[in-house]
């Protein structure tokens, strides 16, 4: 089939003067329609029909032929039907060629994607329709004016998602078989619709529309690779979610390997788009597919081979918590849990880069209480060393019977039934799992016991005196968890005996001055600007995220 795309572009636009030649991101508006059509694998010829010399010049700069539109078809009142028919006839006569499909492609839809355009063309070729028009589904409760006042256009008030489809023409394109094009119309007898999403449906008719288009075209695509399974917990997932939630001016998508079973469940809870991959090599294909600009790794240490593979792509690479040999190949490495360990210029160290979840920014911190009434116990999303069980074996001691303990298990903790069985009689120990807002429990805790990972930062932000037990050797190297920041650190949890935990807990419960000093140490910390500092690094040299 021979397919012709005609871009009508008049010079005398009123809403936005000289709209078609006005620059948007250093390209004239009409460029985007031309580029879309030229990138299509289905369109054979692209041409512009205009009466304007500047538009003609721009079209020829992009190697697109121009049909000179007569003045009678260039008035404010001129409709597109005779304009398209005139351009089609003239071009077919000039080229001695008859086309099978004719597309009207509007320059006022710069956000239309080539793959959407190609999908629409294929739908016309393969389907039963003579014509296909671009639409946007906008179901709304609407009203009409009548002789007696106003009346609803619906029979039942429903939520928008439950309303019947309401297709509004976007103006992006009309695709028709050649026989449907006449002096007075471009639609055949059998007309179909091709829905576009909110972004692609934008039709620039005002300066506000222009502002939206400019913002959308400025968006970058950010891919965040995370992992979350029992051995490493969910800290990487939570940091990725915190980062994604803080970015509103760009497109964010997650990549996660198929071994991250609990990580996938957590992403699903928050409704972010994600892709699951099997091998690292698949990531290269995903970078190309989404035309990514920034790639974030939150997977612990990277290898040189893996990072060199990513460096074959023209993307900015930002790694978190990476002490591996691949870290030197990243644009930036943010190690918020560690003190400085090397002199690499691309590494940023310490707690000032910690990305704290917004719930800890808006929930009031703990108000110091000399008496310990509530103790919070939580060892992250998976607790791979099962420190929860060890602590429960300690706090069942009768000497703690007057203190309420709240034990919070993460989504990946697998021994909940065993713990509940051990505590089935009435007790002062409450066990919960996968709660929504940890900050609310921290706000009510007079003392806490947790691991030496990201949760300790949250405890510090909530100013809760805390006892730390490290899950593994890596956590022991985390620079933040010491007395100067308000923590009692007992070391590697697997090697700490029950008696040491019991004695430390009992001592702190009965030492209000020590707990007050821990609380005041935490109050001095600056943890609330970390996400801003990280975003400044990610978008360094680019103010489009502001």
């Amino acid at each position: 089939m021979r397919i012709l795309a005609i871009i009508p572009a008049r010079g005398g636009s009123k809403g936005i003067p000289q709209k078609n030649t006005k620059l948007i991101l250093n390209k004239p508006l009409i460029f985007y329609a031309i580029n879309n059509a030229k990138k299509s694998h289905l369109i054979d010829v692209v041409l512009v029909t205009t009466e304007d010399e500047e538009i003609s010049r721009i079209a020829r700069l992009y190697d697109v032929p121009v049909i000179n539109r007569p003045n009678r078809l260039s008035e404010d009142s001129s409709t597109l039907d005779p304009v398209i028919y005139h351009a089609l006839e003239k071009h077919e006569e000039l080229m001695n060629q008859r086309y099978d499909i004719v597309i009207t492609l509007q320059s006022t839809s710069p956000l239309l994607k080539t793959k959407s355009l190609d999908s629409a063309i294929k739908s016309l070729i393969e389907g039963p329709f003579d014509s296909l028009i671009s639409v946007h589904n906008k179901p709304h409760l609407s009203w009409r004016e009548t002789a007696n006042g106003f009346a609803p256009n619906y029979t039942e008030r429903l939520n928008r998602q439950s309303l019947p489809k309401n297709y509004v023409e976007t103006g992006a394109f009309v695709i028709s078989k050649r026989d449907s094009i006449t002096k007075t119309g471009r639609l055949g007898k059998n007309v179909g619709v091709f829905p576009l999403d909110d972004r692609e449906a934008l039709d620039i008719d005002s300066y506000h529309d222009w502002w939206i288009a400019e913002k959308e075209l400025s968006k970058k695509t950010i891919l965040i690779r995370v992992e979350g399974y029992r051995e490493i917990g969910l800290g990487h997932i939570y940091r990725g979610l915190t980062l994604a939630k803080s970015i509103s001016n760009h497109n964010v998508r997650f990549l996660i390997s198929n071994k991250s079973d609990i990580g996938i469940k957590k992403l699903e809870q928050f409704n972010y788009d994600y892709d699951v991959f099997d091998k690292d090599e698949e990531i290269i294909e995903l970078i190309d597919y989404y035309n990514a600009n920034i790639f974030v790794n939150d997977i612990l240490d990277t290898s040189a081979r893996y990072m060199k593979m990513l460096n074959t792509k023209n993307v900015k690479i930002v790694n978190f918590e990476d002490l591996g040999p691949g870290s030197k190949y990243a644009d930036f490495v943010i190690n918020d849990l560690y003190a400085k360990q090397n002199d690499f210029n691309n590494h940023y160290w310490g707690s000032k880069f910690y990305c704290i979840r917004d719930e800890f920014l808006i929930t009031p911190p703990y108000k110091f209480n000399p008496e310990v009434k509530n103790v919070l116990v939580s060892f992250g999303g998976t607790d791979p060393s099962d420190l929860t069980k060890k602590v429960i074996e300690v706090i069942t001691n009768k000497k703690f019977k007057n203190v309420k303990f709240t034990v919070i298990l993460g989504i990946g903790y697998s021994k909940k039934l065993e713990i509940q069985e051990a505590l089935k009689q009435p007790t002062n120990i409450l066990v919960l799992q996968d709660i929504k807002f940890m900050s609310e429990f921290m706000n009510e805790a007079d003392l806490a016991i947790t691991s030496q990972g990201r949760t300790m930062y949250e405890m510090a932000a909530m100013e809760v005196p805390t006892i730390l037990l490290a899950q593994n050797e890596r956590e022991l190297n985390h620079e933040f968890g010491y007395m100067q920041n308000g923590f009692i650190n007992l070391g590697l949890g697997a090697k700490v005996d029950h008696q040491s935990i019991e004695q430390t807990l009992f001592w702190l419960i009965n030492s209000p001055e020590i707990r007050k000093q821990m609380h005041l140490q935490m109050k001095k910390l600056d943890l609330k600007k970390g996400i801003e500092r990280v975003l400044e690094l990610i978008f360094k040299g680019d103010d489009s995220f502001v």
Side-chain angles (χ1 to χ4, degrees):
M1 283 195 167
R2 296 284 295 172
I3 299 177
L4 172 68
I6 301 175
I7 302 171
R10 196 167 65 92
S13 58
K14 292 291 193 292
I16 302 177
Q18 296 180 293
K19 175 168 61 178
N20 286 301
T21 60
K22 182 177 172 67
L23 298 186
I24 180 167
L25 264 60
N26 298 317
K27 300 285 186 183
L29 178 62
I30 196 172
F31 160 82
Y32 296 95
I34 291 172
N35 189 53
N36 239 338
K38 292 186 76 171
K39 282 165 52 180
S40 169
H41 297 298
L42 300 174
I43 295 172
D44 297 289
V45 177
V46 185
L47 65 85
V48 168
T49 170
T50 186
E51 89 296 355
D52 185 85
E53 289 185 10
E54 187 177 5
I55 293 174
S56 296
R57 175 180 170 275
I58 290 171
R60 292 190 176 102
L61 283 175
Y62 295 117
D63 297 320
V64 171
V66 176
I67 297 295
N68 293 316
R69 191 191 306 187
N71 290 334
R72 62 182 175 81
L73 296 178
S74 304
E75 305 296 329
D76 291 343
S77 58
S78 299
T79 61
L80 280 182
D81 295 334
V83 170
I84 298 302
Y85 182 78
H86 170 267
L88 174 61
E89 271 206 326
K90 289 293 183 184
H91 185 71
E92 285 185 333
E93 181 182 332
L94 181 65
M95 303 303 294
N96 192 27
Q97 169 73 56
R98 184 175 172 86
Y99 291 88
D100 301 291
I101 292 175
V102 179
I103 303 169
T104 305
L105 196 60
Q106 295 273 47
S107 62
T108 50
S109 297
L111 304 181
L112 178 68
K113 296 176 182 174
T114 302
K115 65 180 179 181
S116 297
L117 178 60
D118 280 349
S119 294
I121 296 170
K122 289 176 184 176
S123 294
L124 182 76
I125 293 172
E126 297 169 2
F129 304 112
D130 300 312
S131 301
L132 204 63
I133 56 176
S134 60
V135 297
H136 181 210
N137 182 29
K138 296 185 71 174
H140 285 289
L141 296 173
S142 62
W143 292 67
R144 67 184 182 277
E145 190 170 5
T146 70
N148 299 318
F150 295 91
N153 290 322
Y154 55 86
T155 56
E156 183 181 2
R157 292 187 70 89
L158 299 170
N159 291 333
R160 184 176 59 84
Q161 296 89 339
S162 302
L163 289 171
K165 289 180 171 58
N166 179 43
Y167 292 123
V168 179
E169 292 189 37
T170 71
F173 58 75
V174 174
I175 306 173
S176 289
K177 293 178 180 176
R178 172 62 178 85
D179 293 340
S180 300
I181 308 296
T182 68
K183 286 182 180 180
T184 56
R186 287 169 292 149
L187 299 179
K189 291 182 180 180
N190 192 3
V191 179
V193 299
F194 189 89
L196 298 174
D197 62 25
D198 290 351
R199 182 182 186 275
E200 291 188 81
L202 180 72
D203 184 20
I204 295 180
D205 194 45
S206 66
Y207 281 107
H208 183 253
D209 296 332
W210 188 278
W211 179 82
I212 294 173
E214 205 163 49
K215 284 290 183 183
E216 287 289 336
L217 288 168
S218 299
K219 280 185 174 181
K220 298 187 183 307
T221 296
I222 303 168
L223 298 181
I224 303 178
R225 182 188 172 182
V226 290
E227 297 289 1
Y229 45 90
R230 177 168 172 74
E231 289 75 18
I232 66 170
L234 288 171
H236 308 281
I237 301 289
Y238 282 120
R239 179 160 48 200
L241 289 168
T242 300
L243 193 61
K245 193 174 182 181
S246 301
I247 299 171
S248 55
N249 286 351
H250 301 283
N251 304 310
V252 177
R253 192 175 189 92
F254 285 90
L255 306 184
I256 188 166
S257 71
N258 53 19
K259 69 179 178 182
S260 291
D261 49 350
I262 57 173
I264 291 170
K265 287 181 182 177
K266 186 58 67 174
L267 291 180
E268 287 174 348
Q269 283 183 9
F270 288 91
N271 298 315
Y272 279 100
D273 293 328
Y274 68 90
D275 290 274
V276 179
F277 63 90
D278 181 30
K279 298 178 180 179
D280 285 349
E281 286 71 21
E282 296 172 38
I283 291 173
I284 296 298
E285 298 174 14
L286 291 168
I287 290 173
D288 287 337
Y289 182 79
Y290 293 113
N291 195 24
N293 307 101
I294 297 172
F295 193 92
V296 176
N297 286 299
D298 201 339
I299 57 174
L300 294 178
D301 297 349
T302 59
S303 68
R305 176 187 170 278
Y306 169 75
M307 290 299 295
K308 286 179 179 179
M309 179 184 72
L310 293 182
N311 278 329
T312 62
K313 296 293 154 186
N314 185 28
V315 292
K316 180 186 287 187
I317 303 174
V318 180
N319 291 5
F320 282 92
E321 206 174 336
D322 186 1
L323 302 177
S327 64
K328 65 181 180 181
Y329 298 102
D331 291 282
F332 300 105
V333 179
I334 300 165
N335 285 317
D336 55 334
L337 293 169
Y338 303 98
K340 186 175 180 180
Q341 297 188 19
N342 61 47
D343 293 320
F344 294 154
N345 292 330
N346 65 333
H347 281 54
Y348 295 81
W349 305 91
S351 57
K352 70 177 183 177
F353 293 104
Y354 177 69
C355 298
I356 195 163
R357 286 186 279 165
D358 52 8
E359 66 167 295
F360 298 99
L361 298 175
I362 63 176
T363 304
Y366 159 71
K367 291 183 178 179
F368 181 76
N369 182 4
E371 182 184 359
V372 173
K373 295 181 177 180
N374 300 288
V375 176
L376 178 63
V377 179
S378 179
F379 288 99
T382 61
D383 188 12
S385 299
D386 203 7
L387 300 177
T388 301
K389 182 181 178 184
K390 177 176 279 192
V391 170
I392 283 182
E393 289 169 350
V394 169
I395 62 180
T396 50
N397 190 306
K398 290 182 180 179
K399 68 167 62 176
F400 300 119
K401 66 180 181 179
N402 294 323
V403 177
K404 176 186 174 184
F405 289 89
T406 302
V407 179
I408 296 179
L409 311 176
I411 189 175
Y413 187 77
S414 59
K415 298 181 180 180
K416 181 181 179 182
L417 293 178
E418 293 179 29
I419 288 177
Q420 289 176 327
E421 181 67 22
L423 300 172
K424 61 183 178 181
Q425 72 276 15
T427 178
N428 58 327
I429 302 171
L430 174 66
V431 178
L432 303 172
Q433 187 166 32
D434 193 28
I435 54 93
K436 292 293 183 186
F437 300 107
M438 178 67 87
S439 58
E440 293 182 1
F441 291 90
M442 292 182 182
N443 172 270
E444 298 175 355
D446 302 302
L447 185 61
I449 307 174
T450 189
S451 50
Q452 202 174 332
R454 293 171 189 80
T455 308
M456 68 176 171
Y457 282 110
E458 296 165 358
M459 294 294 185
M462 296 302 294
E463 302 171 13
V464 182
T466 301
I467 299 169
L468 296 178
L469 296 168
Q471 289 278 3
N472 48 50
E473 294 287 346
R474 188 181 182 104
E475 278 196 0
L476 282 177
N477 294 319
H478 294 173
E479 57 95 18
F480 189 70
Y482 296 100
M483 190 62 190
Q484 68 265 28
N485 292 324
F487 299 96
I488 300 293
N489 193 325
L490 297 184
L492 187 62
K495 294 184 178 180
V496 180
D497 58 42
H498 290 64
Q499 186 178 11
S500 296
I501 298 172
E502 178 185 320
Q503 289 176 346
T504 305
L505 180 59
F506 188 76
W507 169 65
L508 275 178
I509 287 173
N510 294 284
S511 302
E513 289 303 318
I514 299 295
R515 283 187 287 102
K516 186 172 183 179
Q517 184 60 38
M518 295 166 71
H519 171 72
L520 292 175
Q521 289 296 107
M522 290 177 169
K523 197 177 276 289
K524 297 176 184 177
L525 300 171
D526 175 22
L527 297 174
K528 301 196 178 202
K529 301 280 187 176
I531 189 68
E532 294 178 23
R533 296 183 184 108
V534 168
L535 290 175
E536 285 174 6
L537 286 176
I538 290 176
F539 296 100
K540 192 172 184 179
D542 178 3
D543 59 4
S544 64
F545 80 101
V546 177

